[in-house]
Amino acid sequence: MLRTIKPKTARSKRALEARQPKEVEDARTAVFVKGTHTGELLNNVMKELMALKRPDAIAFNKKNDIHPFDASTNSIASLEFWSMKNDASLFVIGQTTKKRPHGLTFVRMYDGKVLDMTEVGVEGWKGMAEFKTPKSTPGHKPLIHFASELFDTHPRYQQLKSMLLDFFNGEEIESICLPGIEHVISITCAPTPASLNNATIPTQPTTSKEAEVLPKVHIRTYTIKLLASGTRIPRVELVPMGPSLDMSLRRYQDADPELLKQAMKRPKLKKTDVEKGLGKKRKNMEVDEMGDLRGRVHIAKQDLSKLQTRKMKGLKAGLDGDMDVDEDGDSDGFSPRKKRKET
């Protein structure tokens, strides 16, 4: 059981508050953990993934007897302890066995607890050293591109997409200059089989036969080269940078519904923020492109027969009270003016 820390000074209180869940999260720190057996290929994969994640990456150089999917071990308690100690919310665990060679397990944490996990197997690999091209600057935010309908329809690929977005995404920013975008991470899938066109949520863990049907995931990394185009918008070329990674989906664990609901909860917005158009949309109110708040008012139907118009002498009946009547017997409500007597 984790020890509850009570702050004794204002400095320690601020440090604990900085670790609390936030609406706009900081850059997620990832811890790379080696299992009891890794191998040269898996060590190189974790090393280059850590290079893409820097500076928000921590490496455990020693081997650890950790098995996240085995409930009989204390692996979950170890992950929770490491998460609180290093203020980390992501783990990448490398483990290779005869049954599952070259396995990578992505673990996502929330508030010091394990939220969900997914395991992939590395089946193809090319490091940065094999591409004799310029590399991106560490710490720059990448552009992430997902090219498959499975990332929006199949629950296994939706979980992997969310996990990779949290892994590669850095600090939340509002804007970025064009030269600040140096590399692109493209994540694609093999051609979708006919059996996955109408994907449904699986009720049981994926079996070996079902895992063979799931298409492989390909991760490619490119640097962006801006060339002159004769206009303000430059011509963009992608140059392979590495690493190049091919993965297959294996075991997984979905998030607990209550913990996921707590993780997705957002605090209530202030009244001033709601009036500015932020948060939940209010009925008959909207914010235009200029940032002005506009509203629509609905009123009851008016009875125009009782409408009081402007009083004009020309609209009044004659002084004698007579009204002109047409040959059909209809009155027009007007009488001829009397001529003014000349004196």
Side-chain angles (χ1 to χ4, degrees), residues 101-299:
H102 310 307
L104 278 179
T105 303
F106 292 87
V107 182
R108 183 161 45 184
M109 312 290 293
Y110 171 73
D111 197 15
K113 301 177 182 178
V114 174
L115 182 64
D116 58 346
M117 298 184 292
T118 182
E119 182 183 7
V120 297
V122 179
E123 298 188 0
W125 165 256
K126 285 186 179 180
M128 293 185 182
E130 299 185 26
F131 297 90
K132 307 301 180 180
T133 55
K135 313 303 178 185
S136 62
T137 305
H140 278 218
K141 287 177 66 68
L143 288 177
I144 305 178
H145 173 247
F146 291 89
S148 178
E149 68 276 5
L150 292 177
F151 291 114
D152 298 323
T153 57
H154 199 280
R156 293 294 314 279
Y157 291 91
Q158 288 177 346
Q159 182 190 28
L160 181 63
K161 177 182 177 180
S162 176
M163 194 79 70
L164 292 178
L165 281 176
D166 285 344
F167 179 80
F168 289 113
N169 190 23
E171 185 180 357
E172 294 290 337
I173 56 177
E174 297 181 357
S175 60
I176 187 172
C177 60
L178 190 59
I181 305 175
E182 294 188 359
H183 63 295
V184 177
I185 299 176
S186 177
I187 304 172
T188 60
C189 285
T192 305
S195 60
L196 295 182
N197 286 337
N198 297 323
T200 56
I201 299 178
T203 57
Q204 297 180 354
T206 305
T207 61
S208 58
K209 294 183 179 180
E210 293 175 348
E212 294 177 358
V213 179
L214 297 178
K216 296 180 181 180
V217 179
H218 309 283
I219 300 179
R220 302 292 184 267
T221 310
Y222 304 92
T223 54
I224 298 177
K225 192 174 182 181
L226 304 178
L227 302 176
S229 62
T231 61
R232 293 185 59 184
I233 302 177
R235 183 166 59 90
V236 179
E237 287 188 359
L238 299 181
V239 181
M241 179 188 76
S244 175
L245 184 64
D246 298 334
M247 305 183 303
S248 60
L249 298 183
R250 293 179 181 173
R251 295 177 293 179
Y252 72 101
Q253 177 180 318
D254 288 329
D256 181 69
E258 293 297 329
L259 188 61
L260 181 62
K261 182 179 178 180
Q262 185 179 357
M264 300 297 290
K265 186 178 180 180
R266 290 180 175 270
K268 293 184 178 179
L269 296 177
K270 299 179 181 179
K271 183 179 179 181
T272 55
D273 295 336
V274 175
E275 292 176 352
K276 292 179 181 179
L278 303 177
K280 187 177 180 181
K281 184 178 180 181
R282 297 202 295 176
K283 189 176 181 181
N284 300 326
M285 298 187 67
E286 59 182 5
V287 179
D288 58 10
E289 297 178 355
M290 302 300 295
D292 299 328
L293 182 64
R294 296 184 178 274
R296 181 179 298 178
V297 180
H298 297 274
I299 58 177

Side-chain angles (χ1 to χ4, degrees), residues 36-105:
T36 53
H37 300 86
T38 53
E40 184 180 359
L41 186 145
L42 205 56
N43 288 335
N44 292 332
V45 171
M46 297 177 67
K47 180 180 179 180
E48 306 233 344
L49 287 179
M50 188 172 60
L52 293 177
K53 183 61 179 173
R54 281 195 181 103
D56 304 313
I58 301 175
F60 286 1
N61 296 323
K62 294 183 179 180
K63 295 182 179 181
N64 298 270
D65 186 10
I66 183 168
H67 306 277
F69 290 97
D70 191 357
S72 61
T73 61
N74 296 327
S75 300
I76 300 299
S78 300
L79 292 175
E80 293 176 353
F81 174 75
W82 292 335
S83 175
M84 296 295 294
K85 186 176 181 180
N86 298 279
D87 191 18
S89 57
L90 285 173
F91 285 90
V92 181
I93 304 171
Q95 179 77 19
T96 180
T97 60
K98 185 177 180 180
K99 185 177 180 181
R100 298 182 180 89
H102 310 307
L104 278 179
T105 303

